[in-house]
Amino acid sequence: NVFENCETLSSLTFPESYNEALDISAFKGCKNLKQIKIPNSVEEINSMAFYGCVGMEEIQINADSNLSLIGNQAFTTGSLLKDLNIPITVMNVSSEAFLGCSVSRLHLKWLDPLEIKIVPKTEGCSLFVPQGTAELYRNTRNWCNFKEIIEE
């Protein structure tokens, strides 16, 4: 909880050598945090990592990231994220990882959609999926609720 409720923090870029997990409530309540770049070496974004970051616009996760776990309410910012990329390496997604998450464009890299109990808010959100997988997502519980599923 090093940065919890740090209201002066507006952006953060970790060094690529950072290989720690983002702990529970790591940035909880950082109201002025607008953007953060997650290093490729980070393997876990734990529960409530960005909870209450009401100014958050961008959580940058690269496609070649080693991220493997997303905890409950990790992306419950209370804001609207512009884009959120979930790499193919993420195979452990808590049932409420996206509870309260709002995003304009969600990019998923899974060739076979993971069944997730709660997905981000679907209203106003475009779901981008790998080429040839749109039909799979349209037939998977909860992902099928997205009105716009686009292959990329």
Side-chain angles (χ1 to χ4, degrees):
N1 302 15
V2 174
F3 294 103
E4 186 172 352
N5 295 317
C6 182
E7 294 186 15
T8 58
L9 184 65
S10 61
S11 69
L12 184 64
T13 302
F14 291 94
E16 279 303 318
S17 60
Y18 184 85
N19 61 1
E20 301 292 321
L22 295 186
D23 288 332
I24 294 171
S25 303
F27 298 96
K28 182 178 179 181
C30 293
K31 296 177 181 179
N32 293 307
L33 183 59
K34 293 188 184 323
Q35 61 182 4
I36 189 166
K37 180 180 179 192
I38 309 295
N40 290 349
S41 56
V42 170
E43 294 181 7
E44 298 179 7
I45 297 176
N46 286 298
S47 297
M48 301 176 97
F50 300 105
Y51 189 90
C53 294
V54 296
M56 185 69 77
E57 296 174 357
E58 181 180 10
I59 299 172
Q60 184 180 352
I61 304 169
N62 293 328
D64 58 345
S65 170
N66 290 315
L67 188 64
S68 63
L69 177 139
I70 300 173
N72 281 335
Q73 293 184 296
F75 302 120
T76 305
T77 62
S79 67
L80 177 63
L81 301 173
K82 294 177 184 175
D83 283 280
L84 184 59
N85 296 291
I86 306 299
I88 195 168
T89 55
V90 175
M91 297 310 287
N92 188 351
V93 180
S94 296
S95 63
E96 295 181 351
F98 296 107
L99 180 66
C101 176
S102 295
V103 61
S104 293
R105 293 175 298 275
L106 177 63
H107 302 264
L108 301 178
K109 304 303 179 192
W110 303 311
L111 297 175
D112 199 12
L114 296 181
E115 285 202 28
I116 297 175
K117 179 180 174 184
I118 298 173
V119 297
K121 294 179 182 174
T122 59
E123 187 175 326
C125 180
S126 299
L127 178 61
F128 293 85
V129 298
Q131 285 291 330
T133 64
E135 197 58 33
L136 289 170
Y137 281 87
R138 284 187 189 100
N139 293 314
T140 301
R141 189 179 107 190
N142 295 328
W143 298 120
C144 64
N145 295 331
F146 284 85
K147 292 178 181 155
E148 186 174 34
I149 299 177
I150 302 163
E151 292 183 351
E152 59 180 355

